[in-house]
Amino acid sequence: MLYRPFGNTGVEVSILGFGAMRLKEVERNGQWEVDEDLAIAIIHRAFELGVNYIDTAYGYCHGNSERVVGRALKGWRDRVYVATKVPTYLIESRGDYRRFLEEQLQRLDVDCIDFYHFHALNQERFENVVLKYDLLEEARKARDEGLVRYICFSFHDRPEVMMRLIDIGIFDAVLCQYNLLDRSNEEAMAYAHSRGVGVAVMGPVGGGRLAGPYRLLQQLGGEKYASGPELALRFVFSNPHVSVALSGMNTMEMVEENARIASRHEPLNDEEMARIRTMMREYQKLADLYCTECAYCMPCPNGVDIPTNFRLMNYYRVYGLEDWAREEYRKMPEEKRASACLGCGECEPKCPQKISVRQRLEEVARTLEE
Ligand code: SF4
Ligand code: SF4
């Protein structure tokens, strides 16, 4: 495993981090539960292979992720850094920050959270939640009391907003989106790095879409790459401003493969980068429907499964899996299909990618119901 300094924190983090947002879940009597034994075995394998950074959040896995991560940390706490996020979207008063922090310390069963993020900051939330309730002061207090080691934020907005937040000078690290398909934060990441702010990235394999069978990989050299994630991860690791890339791993194979890639220093060479740039121009249409399947737009009051519809559309359009996408669409219960959207618009303000969900769902229904 390779390690890099995490901004000016003095901490060295593994370039591969464990993202605990996609642990395998099972539904029991209408309640979602994490398959804990499996999740813990997978997390432990990652730790054994040198991963020393695990990232969770209050809301991940229907609110169960932090507790499972807490269990997985038993026996590893002195070797692994834990990151979690205060749910800024649930904060309604100044006292809420401390209330969530105490609950999260309890769920994780730790005395201190290493990297405590303000979850999903954008300009609006920074002003109307963080500043409004004086949460930077709350964060400082928590750090002074030793409950939090580093103050961080995860980010979904325009790069210039990220730079403004960095300029405040209180943040030790930022977590933002970055992958082959979305390089919009590249300049802001370089800025963060130059200011000694650690950069963690999420979505290194494009919300899973680069992990499937796809033409890009073949056109880039076919056999040469063992898999889609390999190319995607090597691309992210090639950026020296990235300290740690989080991957939402939920199988042993994924952990083994990602750890193997993160253990070799093999940045993409100039020729590979040039081919990627050409290919990306050709595949610009990917950016048109850039759904990361984060599910922030869910639940839809009418039962539409928004991320699944978009995933099928991407497979149809981008990877050319037209019959397969239509078939999968037909297999979905009618109320989950794009055609069941009633156009209420409730989902759209919740989408960090600012996708025009209603318009896009219409397109999905038109295309996949043909
Ligand atoms: S606009 Fe459609 S998909 Fe969005 S919440 Fe309303 S019914 Fe659901
Ligand atoms: S539509 Fe937006 S909010 Fe919904 S899953 Fe996709 S990216 Fe996330």
Side-chain angles (χ1 to χ4, degrees), residues 177 289-298 305-308 310-311 347-357:
Q177 200 151 273
L289 184 47
Y290 187 67
C291 170
T292 59
E293 297 179 43
C294 66
Y296 289 149
C297 55
M298 296 289 282
D305 184 342
I306 303 169
T308 300
F310 287 165
R311 183 186 332 128
C347 50
E348 288 185 10
K350 296 191 226 156
C351 173
Q353 308 298 334
K354 308 205 172 10
I355 292 173
S356 309
V357 178

Side-chain angles (χ1 to χ4, degrees), residues 105-270:
L105 286 164
Q106 221 169 39
R107 283 176 170 194
L108 286 161
D109 199 14
V110 294
D111 299 328
C112 168
I113 290 165
D114 298 309
F115 299 98
Y116 196 45
H117 294 70
F118 288 97
H119 199 166
L121 281 198
N122 54 25
Q123 176 84 34
E124 191 268 336
R125 196 166 280 152
F126 183 68
E127 283 168 11
N128 295 333
V129 178
V130 178
L131 293 185
K132 179 173 170 190
Y133 299 122
D134 211 3
L135 301 187
L136 295 179
E137 199 38 47
E138 285 298 309
R140 260 194 209 101
K141 265 193 348 214
R143 186 178 57 191
D144 292 348
E145 288 172 44
L147 302 176
V148 162
R149 277 178 80 193
Y150 299 105
I151 302 171
C152 317
F153 65 103
S154 72
F155 178 77
H156 293 276
D157 204 338
R158 288 165 292 120
E160 55 271 27
V161 177
M162 180 161 135
M163 296 195 229
R164 279 207 292 276
L165 293 179
I166 286 165
D167 280 340
I168 296 170
I170 188 176
F171 296 112
D172 297 297
V174 56
L175 170 62
C176 65
Q177 200 151 273
Y178 179 61
N179 60 53
L180 262 174
L181 307 179
D182 182 359
R183 303 174 63 173
S184 54
N185 286 324
E186 213 159 57
E187 197 190 331
M189 287 158 56
Y191 184 71
H193 186 77
S194 73
R195 301 289 309 263
V197 170
V199 176
V201 301
M202 51 184 150
V205 290
R209 284 167 308 134
L210 284 169
Y214 62 113
R215 293 191 213 128
L216 171 66
L217 177 61
Q218 292 160 351
Q219 292 178 29
L220 274 168
E223 323 288 86
K224 200 165 142 207
Y225 303 104
S227 67
E230 169 151 4
L231 177 74
L233 279 176
R234 280 181 57 215
F235 170 80
V236 171
F237 295 151
S238 297
N239 185 329
H241 304 136
V242 173
S243 293
V244 51
L246 305 179
S247 174
M249 298 176 274
N250 56 18
T251 64
M252 280 297 177
E253 296 71 44
M254 236 191 236
V255 170
E256 302 275 350
E257 181 176 8
N258 288 352
R260 179 182 57 75
I261 301 162
S263 301
R264 281 197 325 243
H265 184 58
E266 214 182 330
L268 296 175
N269 60 35
D270 292 348

Side-chain angles (χ1 to χ4, degrees), residues 299-302 304 306 340-348 357-358 361:
C300 155
N302 298 304
V304 177
I306 303 169
C341 169
L342 296 181
C344 69
E346 212 176 280
C347 50
E348 288 185 10
V357 178
R358 287 172 287 188
L361 285 175

